[in-house]
Amino acid sequence: MSENDAQATQRRDQAHADPGGETAPPPGLESGQDTGDDNGAQVSTGGEAPGVPEAAIPELVIISGMSGAGRSTAAKCLEDLGWFVVDNLPPALIPTMVELGARSQGNVARIAVVVDVRGRRFFDNLRESLADLEAKHVTRRIVFLESSDEALVRRFESVRRPHPLQGDGRIVDGIAAERELLRELRGDADLVIDTSSLNVHELRAKMDAQFAGEEEPELRATVMSFGFKYGLPVDADLVADMRFLPNPHWVPELRPFTGLNEEVAAYVFNQPGAKEFLDRYAELLRLIAAGYRREGKRYVTIAIGCTGGKHRSVAMSEKLAARLAAEGVETVVVHRDMGRE
């Protein structure tokens, strides 16, 4: 064998032994565990991985803590802020989740994973996964939700559900077992939030303060036109009635058209009170929107009704939605009953 052939053989052997350029096993596999046959897929979140630049690795938040302390609320808050949230993911799969995010070409830039004692036997793998992520320079934060025993007992009794670790014992036994199991993780947490005396809105405000950044949390609005004769929208947060305006239905040349027609819209807004209503209702919505943001509410449905949901409510909904969009509110317009007549 020539010297060049020997060097090529040595390089192939090295590549076969360590396809990722490192000697560490793929995420989710313990040291010494078989990684599969020669053609098996290898998982790596390292910045050195081919095709996955370090800048593409998503930011990671791990949400954990006591059962009943508000993990679901914290996760929902991050989801509303645009995070990709995975609930009850086995810890051994966290590095794999991070790599999938890294390969999404920026579509998944922030991942939140809820890890709790429901994982049972998987929970022991969390420390290994955290060490693996740290070795690969993944930015991660641990949020730990804490609460007093008394508050947790009250919450479990109010929903009449057993603690996941109480078994045949009492709720306090399950709480004690969980607290001991999570003691080390709590010590490693970057952010500990005690929810003993917090309500849902206060917890969301704390999460917003940590993760919303300098920008004010976004409010998204759905402006829905509807006809009263078909019933009120069950999902409406606010309802306004346009039946105080003359009905274009009784104008023969306008009757076939809808509020999307320019002539119908002009007829509606030339009526006394129409423009004044739009201005004052938009001003009222600015006040309400500020309060919704403070209380952690991210979505609002504004229903605008008239008799049949064809003329007045449609025209007003379009103008109101345009006004909200101009003020920076992400707005969707839905005409529920247009076309039913």
Side-chain angles (χ1 to χ4, degrees), residues 93-169:
L93 296 181
I94 294 176
T96 303
M97 190 71 230
V98 171
E99 180 182 355
L100 292 175
R103 296 185 182 280
S104 69
Q105 299 180 347
N107 292 321
V108 182
R110 299 182 296 178
I111 297 175
V113 176
V114 181
V115 177
D116 53 59
V117 294
R118 289 176 296 170
R120 305 283 181 168
R121 61 187 179 90
F122 299 107
F123 196 80
D124 294 335
N125 296 329
L126 180 57
R127 181 156 296 280
E128 286 80 3
S129 294
L130 293 178
D132 184 26
L133 294 170
E134 184 177 356
K136 294 171 181 175
H137 310 292
V138 176
T139 301
R140 58 96 177 139
R141 282 178 285 177
I142 299 176
V143 177
F144 191 95
L145 281 300
E146 177 65 279
S147 194
S148 67
D149 288 1
E150 293 78 8
L152 294 175
V153 169
R154 286 197 306 270
R155 293 168 188 173
F156 275 104
E157 288 180 343
S158 68
V159 296
R160 299 181 180 180
R161 295 185 62 187
H163 188 282
L165 294 185
Q166 77 178 71
D168 296 330

Side-chain angles (χ1 to χ4, degrees), residues 41 58 92 117 147-148 153 159 197 200 214 229 240 249 260 290 301 310 330:
V117 294
S147 194
S148 67
V153 169
V159 296
S197 59
V200 171
E214 298 180 356
K229 70 179 184 179
H249 175 81
L260 298 178
T301 298
K310 180 180 179 181
E330 184 177 335

Side-chain angles (χ1 to χ4, degrees), residues 197-211:
S197 59
L198 299 181
N199 59 36
V200 171
H201 305 299
E202 291 168 335
L203 174 55
R204 292 184 66 101
K206 285 184 174 291
M207 292 294 293
D208 282 343
Q210 292 291 328
F211 296 99

Side-chain angles (χ1 to χ4, degrees), residues 70-81:
R71 292 187 308 249
S72 297
T73 299
K76 181 62 177 176
C77 181
L78 291 184
E79 186 176 29
D80 290 344
L81 291 173

Side-chain angles (χ1 to χ4, degrees), residues 174-225:
I175 293 173
E178 183 179 35
R179 200 176 293 282
E180 180 61 30
L181 179 63
L182 298 177
R183 187 179 304 278
E184 193 171 353
L185 179 62
R186 187 188 190 283
D188 292 338
D190 300 283
L191 174 64
V192 176
I193 301 177
D194 187 347
T195 67
S196 302
S197 59
L198 299 181
N199 59 36
V200 171
H201 305 299
E202 291 168 335
L203 174 55
R204 292 184 66 101
K206 285 184 174 291
M207 292 294 293
D208 282 343
Q210 292 291 328
F211 296 99
E214 298 180 356
E215 297 181 0
E216 191 174 30
E218 182 180 12
L219 179 67
R220 301 173 185 176
T222 298
V223 180
M224 177 188 299
S225 69

Side-chain angles (χ1 to χ4, degrees), residues 226-232 307-309 336-337 340-341:
F226 74 97
F228 278 97
K229 70 179 184 179
Y230 301 113
L232 287 168
T307 303
R336 191 192 73 173
D337 298 323
R340 296 185 67 170
E341 290 187 345

Side-chain angles (χ1 to χ4, degrees), residues 28 37 64 186 222 233 236 250 264 304:
D37 59 25
S64 191
R186 187 188 190 283
T222 298
W250 303 114
V264 173
I304 309 293

